[in-house]
Amino acid sequence: MTRLSGYEKRSLLRFLSLYLGSVFVLLAIIGWLFFEHNAAMMKSAMKFEMLSEAHRIESRLTQALMRQSVMDREDLIKVLKTIRSRCFKVGFYDAKHRPIYTEIDGVPGFEKPFYAGSRSCYSMIRCPLAKEGVAYIALQETKLKGMIRALRWKIIGYLVLSFLFMSVVGYFLARLFMRPIREKIEALDRFIEETTHELNTSVSAILMTIRQLKGVEEKKLRRLKASAQRLSTMYDSLSYGLGREVEEARSEELDLAEICAERCDAMEPLAQSKRIAFDIRLEPCRIRMNREEHRRLIDNVLSNAIKYSDSGGEVTVTLKRCRLSVADRGIGMSPEERREIFKRYTRANKERGSFGIGLSIVAQICRDHGIGLEVESAKGEGSRFVFDFRSLREKGGAGDHE
């Protein structure tokens, strides 16, 4: 089975959550309706059976009393003791609802022919033998509640099995429906991969040519360097985002301030093309991390700050106590845009170009290495990205002066 990417896993999880939630609600409604219907049928059948049994006992009592002409209360009780039911407890009561002889602890009432209590069901009939002392015959059963409880657990068991079956079916259906989308995405990724390969060849040729240029106007040379740097950053972002560079992420001890200064210097032509100045304040900090991934992180956040700054602005890079801050005074972001910027192919401003992949790479590197990331931004006031490298410093065991 093909391994799913992170985006596919999230899509699959969302689909299954919605699908299984709907299935659960539907099964719960069907199960509840089925249980209520069957419980009502069981109560109805029990009522009919108890009333039939009560009339059968009445008939037996009538026949027993007809065989004796004169009978006192003690004789009546002796007769009543001989009349039993195989399935129910029996009680005989006089016209004032007082028990003559009964196996029942107590009855809920004498007005209705059937009572369904919390633990037992009762059947009550008026007896035409009131002159002999017996005015009511009552029956009590204790099995119906247990039968209903067993029915409830049986239905729950079937619902759980049905839910598990529908979960498996839903999973394979989701994978089946996602296959055409996956093929399209893979085709698109292959196209971009081939394009980035050609892009790298062109960028390398441009950079080599720039180094060999002599006697070119300084302004034009800066413009060429800025364009080449922009293409180089774009290539790095695309190749890393597509997983084209599958390299072992070897950690090494790095001087965070040194790398930040180096990457700011590399981005200088790009900043100068927009007349943007760097304000750099770096304190020493040593961390343990993969050098190339750290370079990509710094390049992407600096490129992003330059891209969304207005011409003539300033980008402030501050490193203090192993917390790196990159701030610009550009267009800024709304709270809604701030929540979306780390998603791949999302751009805060479509007029400023890019594929919207740089910050998704930044977020991925931060997740992979446990780097804290905070974003502060307001529309029209600029943005500030803060990276907390202290966990990497502690892992590396480097002692920094704070």
Side-chain angles (χ1 to χ4, degrees):
M1 187 173 291
T2 308
R3 185 178 178 182
L4 297 177
S5 66
Y7 293 103
E8 289 173 321
K9 287 179 181 177
R10 287 191 289 272
S11 298
L12 181 63
L13 182 61
R14 292 191 188 104
F15 169 79
L16 287 178
S17 299
L18 180 61
Y19 169 76
L20 293 180
S22 304
V23 167
F24 176 80
V25 172
L26 180 61
L27 288 177
I29 293 173
I30 292 174
W32 179 76
L33 292 174
F34 183 78
F35 170 76
E36 289 293 324
H37 174 74
N38 281 271
M41 293 291 290
M42 292 170 69
K43 288 180 181 179
S44 179
M46 182 61 68
K47 176 182 178 181
F48 178 79
E49 183 180 355
M50 291 181 73
L51 289 175
S52 298
E53 181 68 7
H55 286 296
R56 188 180 68 81
I57 290 174
E58 177 191 359
S59 177
R60 287 175 55 193
L61 177 61
T62 302
Q63 293 176 8
L65 294 178
M66 289 177 61
R67 288 195 289 268
Q68 299 188 24
S69 57
V70 179
M71 182 179 300
D72 57 15
R73 187 175 180 85
E74 291 184 2
D75 292 334
L76 176 60
I77 292 174
K78 290 179 181 179
V79 172
L80 296 179
K81 287 182 178 181
T82 62
I83 301 175
R84 300 290 186 91
S85 173
R86 292 172 297 177
C87 305
F88 309 106
K89 293 181 179 181
V90 184
F92 300 94
Y93 300 84
D94 60 19
K96 294 184 178 181
H97 305 163
R98 294 174 299 189
I100 302 172
Y101 169 75
T102 181
E103 300 170 341
I104 305 172
D105 294 334
V107 294
F110 291 83
E111 292 78 18
K112 297 189 295 184
F114 185 78
Y115 293 89
S118 59
R119 296 185 178 180
S120 303
C121 292
Y122 302 87
S123 177
M124 185 72 59
I125 64 168
R126 294 182 65 88
C127 184
L129 302 173
K131 60 181 181 178
E132 281 81 7
V134 181
Y136 297 94
I137 298 175
L139 297 181
Q140 179 190 24
E141 68 80 35
T142 57
K143 296 181 179 180
L144 180 61
K145 292 300 177 182
M147 293 166 61
I148 292 177
R149 186 163 49 250
L151 173 66
R152 181 185 295 114
W153 284 111
K154 188 175 182 180
I155 291 174
I156 290 174
Y158 283 131
L159 290 179
V160 170
L161 291 176
S162 301
F163 184 77
L164 292 176
F165 174 76
M166 296 300 291
S167 300
V168 174
V169 171
Y171 175 78
F172 284 101
L173 281 176
R175 292 294 299 264
L176 183 63
F177 293 152
M178 288 174 64
R179 186 179 298 168
I181 300 173
R182 183 185 181 85
E183 290 173 354
K184 291 291 185 182
I185 292 174
E186 288 177 347
L188 179 60
D189 285 347
R190 283 194 300 271
F191 170 75
I192 297 176
E193 185 176 348
E194 293 168 0
T195 304
T196 54
H197 177 71
E198 295 300 323
L199 179 64
N200 185 42
T201 305
S202 302
V203 169
S204 300
I206 292 171
L207 290 173
M208 188 178 298
T209 304
I210 290 173
R211 293 192 195 101
Q212 297 173 353
L213 285 176
K214 294 180 181 179
V216 180
E217 187 180 339
E218 185 63 26
K219 183 178 180 181
K220 293 180 180 179
L221 191 59
R222 284 201 307 269
R223 195 174 297 165
L224 281 172
K225 288 180 179 178
S227 299
Q229 180 62 52
R230 189 177 292 112
L231 287 172
S232 180
T233 304
M234 187 188 303
Y235 166 75
D236 282 347
S237 298
L238 287 171
S239 61
Y240 182 82
L242 293 170
R244 184 172 179 270
E245 296 181 6
V246 184
E247 58 183 23
E248 185 182 356
R250 294 184 299 273
S251 295
E252 55 185 296
E253 193 170 323
L254 306 174
D255 186 334
L256 186 56
E258 180 184 329
I259 295 179
C260 288
E262 174 193 318
R263 301 323 300 166
C264 287
D265 186 60
M267 288 288 174
E268 188 68 30
L270 188 59
Q272 288 180 357
S273 69
K274 292 184 67 175
R275 293 182 290 108
I276 293 172
F278 280 130
D279 180 9
I280 303 173
R281 308 168 192 175
L282 306 175
E283 289 184 357
C285 173
R286 302 193 71 82
I287 63 171
R288 184 166 292 277
M289 185 178 173
N290 176 262
R291 180 179 292 273
E292 283 303 310
E293 291 196 333
H294 185 272
R295 182 183 65 80
R296 287 193 184 98
L297 186 150
I298 301 298
D299 282 358
N300 276 295
V301 75
L302 287 176
S303 173
N304 191 75
I306 294 169
K307 185 190 310 172
Y308 290 105
S309 292
D310 296 323
S311 296
E314 184 179 71
V315 173
T316 303
V317 181
T318 307
L319 177 60
K320 185 176 182 180
R321 297 183 180 181
C322 280
R323 285 172 60 89
L324 174 65
S325 168
V326 178
D328 65 69
R329 300 175 186 174
I331 61 174
M333 295 175 285
S334 65
E336 294 77 15
E337 290 171 336
R338 200 161 61 242
R339 285 193 291 268
E340 300 290 324
I341 56 171
F342 294 113
K343 294 181 180 179
R344 184 172 293 190
Y345 308 126
T346 298
R347 293 178 289 174
N349 188 318
K350 295 181 180 179
E351 296 177 0
R352 303 267 173 147
S354 86
F355 290 101
I357 197 173
L359 288 181
S360 72
I361 292 173
V362 168
Q364 183 63 50
I365 293 174
C366 289
R367 283 194 296 268
D368 291 344
H369 294 275
I371 301 169
L373 173 57
E374 300 173 10
V375 182
E376 302 169 5
S377 185
K379 204 72 174 175
E381 297 180 10
S383 303
R384 180 170 175 259
F385 290 77
V386 181
F387 301 89
D388 190 343
F389 290 92
R390 286 178 294 181
S391 62
L392 300 183
R393 178 201 62 196
E394 291 166 2
K395 290 177 183 177
D400 299 309
H401 297 288
E402 298 193 7

